[in-house]
Structure formats: structure tokens, C-alpha cells
Amino acid sequence: MNIIKLNNVSKKYSNGTTALRNISLDIEAGEFVYIVGPSGAGKSTFIKLLYHELKIDKGTGIVAKFDLMKLKRRDVPLLRRSVGVVFQDYKLLPKKTVYENIAYAMEVVGKRPREIKKRVNEVLDLVGLKHKLRSFPDELSGGEQQRVAIARSIANAPKLLIADEPTGNLDPENSWEIMNLLEKINLQGTTILMATHNSQIVNTLRHRVVAIENGRIVRDQAEGDYGYDD
Ligand code: ADP
Ligand code: ADP
């Protein structure tokens, strides 16, 4: 089963910049895929299309059974239930505690309090931060904040987890810790799509590599290497 199916997808920003040209890509449920490429290649644009932060303007795209062309505004929360997202800068809500950050992601999709409580504890356990549940984001290290963000992203048990440079702000030790978590989540059945500039990670933890340059897919390689000088 394809969890992502893109056919000739293009994206032009309103200022005239064409960020993606004729992207066609199939990703099967359960895969782990790296998106690599130089700065400005279109990686972030690509990722934003997948969770409907941006609309595609040509082609067709299906993500977790949602048709990106037909998706209505009111359907976006449904998509977000099936697709977890993790960012380079964590994007935790600063005025909420660790617990509340994760619980909120479940409240907005209408989960019941009892289920929320159980699941928040479960995902905090998975990322090893149960003891920090009352902390606020600014009381945590970067690595800890990213672990909370990952816990939040999987709280609703998404089929697909999209990570845009999740280790971009972290030192090597914390980066590897984040990768261990993503591997674990992938082994539990979640598809992972991760944009990264980290050659060491890509060359060590081998997975499918899709390279984007100038808005086009220029390489799609099983167990691929990073393929650029850092
Ligand atoms: P990457 O993530 O690979 O660095 P991006 O997807 O951010 O690449 O950018 C792809 C291209 O689109 C670049 O030329 C960039 O300057 C342009 N771009 C990105 N965001 C916008 C925007 N909001 N408006 C106009 N152009 C943009
Ligand atoms: P807003 O409309 O203000 O962006 P949302 O309800 O969409 O609020 O999201 C609330 C918080 O949860 C935000 O910090 C957002 O980044 C985060 N969030 C929303 N959807 C997801 C998701 N699928 N995975 C991870 N975090 C998410």
C-alpha cells in the first residue's frame, strides 16, 4: 500500500519562484525515506505540501488516503491525525507544560480525557521523559524538546511521521538519540519521511534516499548514501 503517491506535482510561489517541478514519488507504508539536497532545492516546500501547509498547484497527490487537491479546510485536522510532523525548531507551545503540549494535540482531534492521559504517559515513556512532564519547554535542553515534539507527533498514532531537519539544531549525541527514537517508531510500523543535511546519519543508518535539486527529483536510491560534501 502506498501511503504517499505523488504524480507530476508542481509548486510555484506567488512571487513566481517555481519550487517543485513534476515531482512523482510513491512511498510504501512502513518505509523510512530521507529527503536530501542542497539548500533551496525544494525540500521544505515538498514537506509542506504533504501535510497541507501549502497547496499543490499542478499534478495529483495522495497522502494517507487524503487527496491533496480535494482536501477541504475542515478536513485538514483529519489529515493531521494521520500525519505527525516534527520540525527543526521543535515548535512546542511555550506556555504549556510537556504534558499539556502532548495532551493538546490529542484534545484538538477530540480524544477523551482518559485516553489522553494514558497515551501521553505512554509516549513520554517511549521518549524517556516521564519525569519532565511538568516542565515547560524553556526548562528543557534542545534534545529534550525535540523528544517531546516527537512524543507529540506520534500521540495520535499517525501512519506517517514527517520530520523536517529534526536534528538540525542538535549536537551529534542528541542527534543520534533522536535517530534511535525515529528508528524505533519506524520499526513499530510508522512510515518516516525525513529531510536532512546530516551526511553521517544518512551514510550510517541506511535507508531509501530521495535527492531533490532545483525542484526536481534527481536520485531515488534504496539504502542510498548522502551524496553531497557537507
Ligand atoms: P530547501 O528546503 O531545500 O532549502 P525550500 O523548499 O525552502 O528549499 O525552497 C525552494 C525554493 O523556493 C527556493 O528557491 C526558495 O527560495 C523558494 N521559496 C521557499 N519559500 C518561499 C516562499 N514562501 N515564497 C517564495 N519563494 C519561496
Ligand atoms: P494552529 O492552528 O494554531 O497551528 P493546531 O491545532 O494546528 O494549531 O496545532 C497546535 C499545535 O500542535 C501547534 O504547535 C502545531 O505545530 C502542533 N501540531 C499540529 N498538528 C501537528 C502534527 N500533525 N504533528 C505535530 N504537531 C502538530
Side-chain angles (χ1 to χ4, degrees):
M1 197 197 73
N2 289 319
I3 192 155
I4 296 177
K5 197 168 180 58
L6 302 178
N7 226 313
N8 279 313
V9 167
S10 297
K11 178 68 193 178
K12 194 179 190 174
Y13 284 104
S14 50
N15 69 355
T17 306
T18 299
L20 295 173
R21 302 158 202 270
N22 297 316
I23 298 278
S24 295
L25 183 69
D26 287 351
I27 294 178
E28 294 238 345
E31 283 197 80
F32 193 130
V33 182
Y34 293 119
I35 305 293
V36 305
S39 231
K43 302 181 295 297
S44 296
T45 303
F46 175 72
I47 275 182
K48 285 177 183 160
L49 294 177
L50 296 179
Y51 66 93
H52 213 254
E53 176 75 23
L54 290 173
K55 283 188 185 150
I56 63 180
D57 42 40
K58 259 166 62 189
T60 57
I62 294 181
V63 173
K65 294 187 183 144
F66 293 90
D67 185 331
L68 293 179
M69 286 301 263
K70 291 187 188 149
L71 205 64
K72 298 279 191 311
R73 232 193 130 71
R74 63 170 184 272
D75 296 328
V76 172
L78 280 174
L79 171 73
R80 300 268 165 97
R81 214 185 286 192
S82 307
V83 181
V85 191
V86 174
F87 307 94
Q88 177 172 2
D89 57 357
Y90 327 127
K91 295 202 194 299
L92 298 174
L93 300 170
K95 292 189 175 130
K96 289 188 190 286
T97 64
V98 164
Y99 182 94
E100 290 163 352
N101 262 278
I102 302 167
Y104 182 66
M106 297 184 72
E107 284 161 16
V108 295
V109 300
K111 293 281 162 64
R112 288 167 194 280
R114 207 206 292 187
E115 188 189 345
I116 292 176
K117 194 171 170 198
K118 180 163 170 274
R119 181 64 178 161
V120 174
N121 280 296
E122 208 170 271
V123 293
L124 273 177
D125 209 22
L126 178 83
V127 304
L129 287 174
K130 236 175 173 171
H131 58 295
K132 297 281 187 183
L133 88 182
R134 289 186 184 82
S135 301
F136 287 90
D138 67 2
E139 297 167 339
L140 302 177
S141 72
E144 287 169 337
Q145 288 185 59
Q146 192 61 297
R147 280 148 66 194
V148 174
I150 288 174
R152 177 179 66 180
S153 75
I154 60 164
N156 293 316
K159 300 258 186 297
L160 171 66
L161 178 55
I162 295 175
D164 193 355
E165 302 257 9
T167 65
N169 286 339
L170 301 176
D171 61 23
E173 195 183 326
N174 279 299
S175 297
W176 284 110
E177 198 162 342
I178 293 303
M179 291 313 297
N180 284 337
L181 273 177
L182 294 180
E183 288 275 311
K184 194 147 103 179
I185 292 164
N186 179 239
L187 287 173
Q188 291 177 354
T190 307
T191 311
I192 308 234
L193 185 75
M194 167 176 163
T196 186
H197 277 123
N198 194 316
S199 59
Q200 252 194 312
I201 285 173
V202 175
N203 291 337
T204 307
L205 284 177
R206 292 282 176 149
H207 292 295
R208 179 178 174 189
V209 173
V210 172
I212 299 181
E213 289 176 21
N214 246 317
R216 289 190 175 86
I217 293 179
V218 294
R219 177 164 59 105
D220 185 348
Q221 187 181 19
E223 313 274 308
D225 58 2
Y226 182 70
Y228 300 95
D229 304 327
D230 324 65

